[in-house]
Amino acid sequence: MNGCEQKENEVILAMYDVRAVANFVLDVAETDGRNVSNLHINKIVYFLHADFLVAFSRPLVTAKIEAWTHGPVFRELYREFREFGNAPIVGRARYLDPETGRKQNAEWRFTFDEEKFLRELARKYISMTPGALVAQSHVEGGPWDQTWNHETKTNASMKISDEAIRSWYERTVKH
């Protein structure tokens, strides 16, 4: 399910495909005449996810967030945009449509309130350098730091949990 579907008088809220959220960010960046790299898009979507978790009390994306050397990464986005390296992304994230067998752009469909919230924040994060976002994601005691510098001997998946993100950003982010 992508977006918000309505059944009679009931509204069912859903998490979104990380590729659709990335395409939203790329659309905002294009409108504003800004460039976004692979590193940049991963950090922007991570911070949008964190802010969304706090503001809407539910996750923005369904994808797993992993702690990598340069901060939080969505493996799907890394793979989708790795061909661009550090250069600006000039395409859109795609998925394989199981009905047609063809690749299609992942489309975003947010509610009005979600889009308004995300657009404002996306502009803020797009205007920041990737290095500034990496530094912000590496803050001591934050979710990435807790996962990357864990106390146990192994953490094979290096998954950054929504619980760790919510706990940290509820204390540090003010909307």
Side-chain angles (χ1 to χ4, degrees):
M1 179 174 10
N2 189 14
C4 182
E5 295 182 9
Q6 190 160 347
K7 279 183 173 175
E8 298 187 18
N9 291 332
E10 177 187 356
V11 175
I12 301 170
L13 300 174
M15 293 183 285
Y16 299 96
D17 185 305
V18 71
R19 294 165 295 192
V21 175
N23 286 347
F24 169 76
V25 170
L26 292 168
D27 289 348
V28 171
E30 185 177 281
T31 298
D32 291 354
R34 301 265 190 174
N35 291 322
V36 176
S37 68
N38 194 344
L39 178 68
H40 206 184
I41 195 85
N42 269 281
K43 300 311 161 276
I44 293 167
V45 173
Y46 168 75
F47 284 115
L48 290 177
H49 178 74
D51 290 328
F52 195 91
L53 257 173
V54 172
F56 289 86
S57 299
R58 63 186 171 88
L60 174 61
V61 299
T62 57
K64 176 176 138 181
I65 305 166
E66 298 177 24
W68 288 18
T69 303
H70 297 291
V73 171
F74 297 92
R75 190 175 295 267
E76 295 94 328
L77 296 184
Y78 174 79
R79 285 184 180 151
E80 189 69 29
F81 299 123
R82 70 178 162 208
E83 69 183 272
F84 299 106
N86 291 330
I89 296 169
V90 294
R92 293 296 185 266
R94 299 163 58 91
Y95 71 96
L96 185 64
D97 185 327
E99 292 181 21
T100 65
R102 295 184 180 162
K103 285 246 180 181
Q104 297 195 352
N105 284 353
E107 295 182 15
W108 54 271
R109 292 182 189 96
F110 304 120
T111 67
F112 176 81
D113 290 338
E114 291 169 343
E115 182 180 344
K116 182 178 176 189
F117 176 82
L118 291 169
R119 187 173 298 278
E120 181 180 321
L121 286 169
R123 284 193 165 113
K124 170 186 158 186
Y125 293 129
I126 290 165
S127 72
M128 296 173 71
T129 66
L133 292 173
V134 168
Q136 189 172 325
S137 73
H138 279 62
V139 66
E140 187 175 339
W144 176 88
D145 182 58
Q146 292 172 30
T147 304
W148 187 259
N149 297 309
H150 54 85
E151 297 290 324
T152 60
K153 292 195 185 274
T154 62
N155 184 357
S157 73
M158 296 299 270
K159 180 181 188 287
I160 302 174
S161 72
D162 283 340
E163 295 76 29
I165 294 168
R166 182 191 327 255
S167 173
W168 177 260
Y169 289 103
E170 279 178 340
R171 292 180 281 137
T172 61
V173 174
K174 305 292 181 236
H175 290 288

